[in-house]
C-alpha cells in the first residue's frame, strides 16, 4: 500500500491486476487509507480490460493532444466508467442509452439548461470521443469490437453564417485602437484561426511568408499553414514591437492571448456595427476571395482545410441556400 502527500493533500496509489489505481485530494492520511480500502473492495467487480483501455487512451491524449481535449475526454470517460466500469460487455445499446441521456440534457446542470441544438452537438461530440476510445483499443489489441460502429449522429440544423460586409470591416478597423487595429489586420490578412494568430511567434515570420500553426480540431495534430506575405501584412508586422517570443502578448499575464471576445465586441459597438466573432473574418475573407474568382483549392490551402469538399461546403453556407437561389428566378416573369 502506498500513501503519500501531494500538494498538501493525501493520496493512495497501488497496482492490482496490472492496472494502476490512484486518487488524491484527501485531507488526512486516515481518509486516504479508508478510500484505498474501499477501492480495493470494488476491484473484484471491475472490468479491468475496459479500465486498461481508458488508461491507454488518456495516456495517448495527454502526450499527443491539447490539454483541453485531454480534460474533456477525461471528464467523459469518468462518466462512462461509472456506468460501464463493472459490465463484462459494453454494447451498442449501452452507448446509445448514454448518448440519448446526453441529448436530453440528463448530464447538464439544471441551472444551465442548453438549447436542443447545443445538447445534440454535445451528444455528437461524446459519440466522437467514445468511438475514438474503442478504435484506439482495437488498434492496440486491447479491445475486440466497436459498439459505436453503426450509431449515427444526432441531426443538428446549421444556421446560415453571418458575414460582415466590407463596409463593416472597414468601420471596425477605423474604430479600433492602434495596436488592436494591427492585431485585426493580421487576423484578416492571414485568414487564420484566432488561436493560431494568438500563438504566432516571431521565429515563424519570414521575409516572404509567415507560418501559422493550427489544429483543424482540438483532437487533431498540429499543422503548419504557409501564408504569403502581402504588402499589408509586411507593413503591419513592421509596426509591432518585437519584445518577446510571440507577436502578440497579453501584458497582464505575460503569455499569449487565449481569446479576445471582449475586444471585438467593444470595437463593433464603437463602430456601430452588428457584433460578430473572430471566425467571421475567415468567412468574410473566404467569401471575398471566392467572389473575385480565386480557385477553390487556393482558398482551401489558406483556410487549412484537409479536403476541398470541406471548403466547398464552407462556402456554400456563405453563398446561400437552395431556397435563396431559386428566388433569383422570380425576376423571370
Amino acid at each position: 500500500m502506498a500513501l503519500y502527500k501531494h500538494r498538501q493533500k493525501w493520496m493512495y496509489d497501488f497496482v492490482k491486476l496490472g492496472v494502476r489505481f490512484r486518487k488524491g485530494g484527501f485531507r488526512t492520511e486516515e481518509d486516504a487509507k479508508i478510500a484505498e480500502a474501499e477501492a480495493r473492495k470494488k476491484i473484484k467487480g471491475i472490468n479491468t480490460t475496459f479500465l486498461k483501455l481508458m488508461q491507454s487512451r488518456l495516456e495517448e491524449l495527454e502526450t499527443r493532444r491539447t490539454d483541453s481535449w485531454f480534460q474533456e475526454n477525461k471528464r467523459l470517460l469518468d462518466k462512462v466508467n461509472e456506468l460501464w466500469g463493472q459490465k463484462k460487455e459494453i454494447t451498442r445499446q449501452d452507448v446509445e442509452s448514454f448518448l440519448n441521456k446526453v441529448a436530453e440534457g440528463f448530464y447538464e446542470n439544471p441551472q444551465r439548461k442548453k438549447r436542443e441544438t447545443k445538447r445534440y452537438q454535445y451528444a455528437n461530440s461524446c459519440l466522437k470521443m467514445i468511438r475514438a476510445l474503442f478504435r484506439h483499443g482495437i488498434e492496440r489489441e486491447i479491445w475486440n469490437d466497436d459498439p459505436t460502429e453503426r450509431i449515427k449522429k444526432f441531426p443538428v440544423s446549421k444556421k446560415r453564417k453571418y458575414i460582415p460586409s466590407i463596409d463593416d470591416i472597414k468601420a471596425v478597423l477605423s474604430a479600433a485602437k492602434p495596436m488592436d487595429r494591427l492585431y485585426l489586420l493580421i487576423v484578416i490578412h492571414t485568414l487564420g484561426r484566432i488561436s493560431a494568430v494568438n500563438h504566432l511567434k516571431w521565429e515563424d515570420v519570414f521575409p516572404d511568408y509567415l507560418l501559422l500553426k493550427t489544429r483543424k480540431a482540438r483532437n487533431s495534430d498540429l499543422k503548419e499553414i504557409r501564408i504569403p506575405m502581402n504588402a499589408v501584412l509586411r507593413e503591419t508586422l513592421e509596426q509591432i514591437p518585437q519584445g518577446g517570443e510571440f507577436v502578440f502578448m497579453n501584458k497582464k499575464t505575460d503569455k499569449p492571448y487565449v481569446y479576445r471576445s471582449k475586444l471585438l465586441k467593444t470595437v463593433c459597438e464603437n463602430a456601430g456595427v452588428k457584433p460578430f466573432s473572430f471566425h467571421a473574418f475567415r468567412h468574410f475573407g473566404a467569401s471575398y476571395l471566392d467572389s473575385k474568382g480565386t480557385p477553390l483549392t487556393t482558398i482551401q490551402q489558406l483556410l487549412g482545410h484537409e479536403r476541398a469538399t470541406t471548403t466547398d461546403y464552407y462556402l456554400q453556407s456563405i453563398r446561400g441556400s437552395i431556397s435563396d437561389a431559386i428566388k433569383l428566378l422570380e425576376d423571370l416573369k
Side-chain angles (χ1 to χ4, degrees), residues 279-329:
H279 202 71
F281 284 122
R282 278 168 61 82
H283 285 282
F284 167 79
S287 62
Y288 186 79
L289 294 176
D290 182 57
S291 69
K292 297 298 183 181
T294 305
L296 179 67
T297 52
T298 301
I299 301 175
Q300 172 196 350
Q301 284 182 290
L302 290 171
L303 293 175
H305 290 159
E306 294 292 334
R307 297 181 295 274
T309 51
T310 304
T311 308
D312 190 46
Y313 179 81
Y314 193 92
L315 290 172
Q316 283 176 17
S317 67
I318 297 168
R319 294 168 183 152
S321 64
I322 294 176
S323 60
D324 293 330
I326 205 71
K327 286 182 180 179
L328 297 175
L329 297 177

